[in-house]
Amino acid sequence: MRVLITGVAGFIGSHLADRFLADGHEVIGMDNFITGDVANIAHIRNPRFSFVQYDVTNYIYVDGPLDAILHFASPASPIDYLEFPIQTLKVGSLGTHKALGLAKAKGAVFLLASTSEVYGDPLIHPQTEDYWGNVNPIGPRGVYDEAKRFAEALTMAYHRSHGVPTRIVRIFNTYGPRMRVRDGRAVPNFIAQALRNEEVTVYGDGSQTRSFCYVTDLVDGIARLLASDATGPVNIGNPSEMSVLSMAETIVRATRSRSRVVFQPLPVDDPKVRQPDISRARGVLGWEPRVGLEEGLKETIGYFRAKLGIPERGM
């Protein structure tokens, strides 16, 4: 295939590029580096990869045929979409519109990177794809939540009105190498703080839950979704739920850190629970996560050690 990946210099986008190149496909990557990092794609030395620095909220032109478009351009961390609220809304709306228009023109499959954040602070648990969510549209997190909800609606409108073949992946908490040190999400925050022996910051009392999926598992689920004929949303994430405090304590132990956990006020509209029901992914895609937390954290901590220049301490 010949595929376009928007947001290719991001954490997930760069791993997608690696996967599709490894599978023998041609990849065109786009990113404007508002939150992406050129270091994430600097390792790619493949003649089937090309890169265009571009803001996809503008008209997108790609010469030649395209078989698929994977739309992953968007700030995704709370610190990013709180810093860039208008850009987040624009890439979810205008960027999705431009990418869908290109898919329509090229006869390409369109895969939208959506998020578990469309469920908001959920009133049902675990979350199934037919749950409509509990989102505050005017809260500080609404710029991301509603951008993705609009993107889903626009994607389905293009499918129904123009026959564009669509896929929607609702991504739950994902971690792994190439996350930024100052990403702002739980796993990179905890690892960076623990490796530096700083206080590990937990918001609230830490009882809120998340379900952490290793990035290679997520990418495998996305590849399977693209190859399927599943038009509607599919949850991809690890259904193994754990508290944020438990994750912080696990990372402190795994890094052999001298850090202590401290608590700060919970951010506005922070979800209290998060766990995917992956029945649809299992049934339609034959997918479920395979990388255990210990293995995933080992790889991720190793990446952060190298990034921060911190050697591993002996027992």
Side-chain angles (χ1 to χ4, degrees), residues 116-263:
S116 61
E117 294 300 318
V118 300
Y119 300 122
D121 190 6
L123 303 178
I124 69 163
H125 192 67
Q127 293 78 59
T128 59
E129 290 89 348
D130 57 0
Y131 175 52
W132 293 353
N134 177 42
V135 173
N136 177 5
I138 60 171
R141 298 175 69 101
V143 297
Y144 183 64
D145 301 358
E146 296 293 9
K148 290 297 188 181
R149 287 161 70 92
F150 177 86
E152 287 196 13
L154 188 59
T155 297
M156 293 307 299
Y158 262 74
H159 172 71
R160 295 183 182 114
S161 297
H162 299 304
V164 174
T166 57
R167 315 283 184 265
I168 298 173
V169 55
R170 288 182 178 162
I171 298 170
F172 281 69
N173 296 79
T174 303
Y175 71 100
R178 299 183 201 157
M179 297 190 91
R180 293 170 303 157
V181 173
R182 295 177 180 84
D183 180 90
R185 284 174 282 195
V187 171
N189 268 12
F190 295 161
I191 292 176
Q193 291 169 336
L195 286 174
R196 292 165 167 160
N197 292 306
E198 300 171 349
E199 292 179 337
V200 172
T201 306
V202 170
Y203 295 99
D205 62 4
S207 63
Q208 65 271 32
T209 65
R210 298 293 184 265
S211 303
F212 297 96
C213 183
Y214 190 64
V215 64
T216 56
D217 279 336
L218 175 76
V219 166
D220 181 56
I222 292 167
R224 289 172 183 243
L225 177 59
L226 182 65
S228 76
D229 58 0
T231 297
V234 178
N235 290 337
I236 299 291
N238 194 324
S240 179
E241 182 185 21
M242 67 188 300
S243 73
V244 171
L245 177 58
S246 178
M247 174 59 90
E249 292 170 339
T250 298
I251 287 172
V252 169
R253 288 194 300 271
T255 54
R256 303 182 191 133
S257 176
R258 297 187 297 274
S259 296
R260 68 185 184 94
V261 175
V262 298
F263 299 90

Side-chain angles (χ1 to χ4, degrees), residues 100-119:
L100 278 162
L102 182 63
K104 177 175 176 284
K106 299 289 188 180
V109 178
F110 180 82
L111 188 149
L112 173 69
S114 188
T115 171
S116 61
E117 294 300 318
V118 300
Y119 300 122

